[in-house]
Amino acid sequence: DDASDRAPQPEPSGPILEHTVKLLDGTDKSLTDYRGKALLVVNTASECGYTPQYADLQQLYAKYKDRGLEVLAFPSNDFGGQEPGSPAQIRQFVDSKYQVEFEMFDKVAIKGPDKAPLYETLTEQTPDGIRGEVKWNFTKFLVDPQGRVVKRFESAVSPTSPEVIAAIEAVLPAA
């Protein structure tokens, strides 16, 4: 039995990719579809002081989507009640105001007893420096192409700041 005859084992994937979530239109989306891509997972809101970060997120996505970056936006009404809208209202808002092209997911709980399983993984099953409750809208988690969370950026850090750009460029899949 020659070892070279055996099929290569798939890359082990981090726990992030094991989740299935709902898109804004209500359809299921398996995060395994994003295996091999760098992900920026962001909890968003339409009525927050940080809402203009949608424009920065779109700018990032436009710049890096062809190099393997996906931005995954999860609206949440958990912080200051700043995302009261229905999925249709959220879609209309991001399309009309920010021309968002990245993936928008259904509204989720980011904290508390109904916390979405994805956010349990992001905030509880991650290394020191990343682990911990989300404090506000537009907290950003950077996930490498293997599905491991490698960085966390708090709300006030712009998606287009040099530190975020450098972190993204460090985990983009090899061209």
Side-chain angles (χ1 to χ4, degrees):
D1 177 32
D2 189 321
S4 64
D5 293 341
R6 287 201 288 272
Q9 292 303 303
E11 284 278 313
S13 62
I16 299 305
L17 299 179
E18 294 164 12
H19 291 280
T20 296
V21 292
K22 287 207 179 303
L23 291 167
L24 200 52
D25 67 8
T27 55
D28 284 343
K29 176 75 170 169
S30 170
L31 296 187
T32 57
D33 293 353
Y34 297 113
R35 180 177 283 122
K37 301 214 178 223
L39 309 177
L40 195 64
V41 180
V42 188
N43 58 303
T44 60
S46 299
E47 298 177 7
C48 179
Y50 294 113
T51 299
Q53 285 190 16
Y54 267 125
D56 300 328
L57 290 166
Q58 176 56 38
Q59 188 183 330
L60 260 190
Y61 179 66
K63 181 174 180 180
Y64 290 108
K65 66 183 178 187
D66 294 336
R67 292 177 59 194
L69 175 70
E70 293 290 336
V71 174
L72 311 186
F74 288 87
S76 177
N77 200 37
D78 285 357
F79 304 99
Q82 295 178 343
E83 188 56 275
S86 67
Q89 288 168 320
I90 294 168
R91 169 56 61 197
Q92 199 275 328
F93 174 80
V94 299
D95 287 354
S96 65
K97 197 151 167 59
Y98 295 105
Q99 294 77 52
V100 159
E101 297 172 59
F102 52 79
E103 207 70 84
M104 294 292 301
F105 292 85
D106 200 9
K107 200 156 43 169
V108 293
I110 304 290
K111 61 179 188 175
D114 299 323
K115 187 192 298 186
L118 172 63
Y119 272 86
E120 284 183 13
T121 300
L122 287 168
T123 60
E124 297 169 22
Q125 298 170 26
T126 43
D128 285 344
I130 296 173
R131 188 171 50 239
E133 288 297 327
V134 170
K135 297 178 189 73
W136 199 250
N137 302 308
F138 291 90
T139 298
K140 294 158 279 294
F141 292 91
L142 181 61
V143 181
D144 74 10
Q146 287 73 47
R148 294 180 297 246
V149 184
V150 292
K151 287 264 189 208
R152 172 180 175 151
F153 302 99
E154 297 303 330
S155 310
V157 179
S158 166
T160 53
S161 70
E163 63 182 299
V164 176
I165 299 276
I168 288 171
E169 289 187 346
V171 299
L172 285 173

